Amino acid sequence: MSFGLIKILVALIFFSVVPFKSEGQYHDWCIADEQTPDNELVLATKWACENGADCTKIQENQPCYHPNTVTQHASYAFNSYYQNMKLKGATCYFNSAAVLTARDPSHDACKFEVIP
């Protein structure tokens, strides 16, 4: 057997045994871009909440109400929309008001959902 054929067989065995993506990796969250003006975030948040985001947790007395800022509420709404709708082709765009991050934005009792 030639050396080149052995290298190919070793590579095939390696890639068939080693997974490309293991569970728990490559998660992403959709959050508000902190440079976006509040008035634009308010409009985008309203749209997200009316089109697939579950915004109940950013209501008063709910776990994601605090900190009570436009950016934090927008981040929760954007991520909820993105996670709920990404398998249907949705993106994290919101008219340039949002960005993807690999850092989990959850805090305290407020847990940002992630769907692999």
Side-chain angles (χ1 to χ4, degrees):
M1 209 187 280
S2 74
F3 184 71
L5 185 56
I6 292 173
K7 284 174 43 177
I8 292 171
L9 288 173
V10 169
L12 286 172
I13 291 169
F14 175 78
F15 287 115
S16 66
V17 174
V18 176
F20 288 113
K21 179 178 174 184
S22 64
E23 199 62 38
Q25 290 182 343
Y26 308 115
H27 291 304
D28 54 0
W29 292 265
C30 180
I31 60 170
D33 184 339
E34 294 183 4
Q35 297 177 16
T36 304
D38 282 357
N39 62 323
E40 291 180 32
L41 290 176
V42 168
L43 292 173
T45 299
K46 183 178 185 307
W47 185 91
C49 292
E50 293 173 349
N51 289 281
D54 177 3
C55 295
T56 57
K57 291 185 180 178
I58 55 175
Q59 302 302 314
E60 195 167 358
N61 297 318
Q62 294 301 309
C64 298
Y65 181 73
H66 290 289
N68 182 14
T69 67
V70 172
T71 302
Q72 286 296 313
H73 288 187
S75 289
Y76 188 86
F78 294 173
N79 186 67
S80 178
Y81 174 84
Y82 175 68
Q83 299 298 332
N84 290 336
M85 306 301 284
K86 69 182 177 182
L87 295 178
K88 296 178 182 177
T91 63
C92 176
Y93 181 65
F94 299 96
N95 204 23
S96 294
V99 294
L100 285 174
T101 182
R103 185 171 174 227
D104 184 353
S106 299
H107 54 88
D108 304 318
C110 180
K111 303 301 178 211
F112 281 56
E113 182 179 23
V114 64
I115 298 173

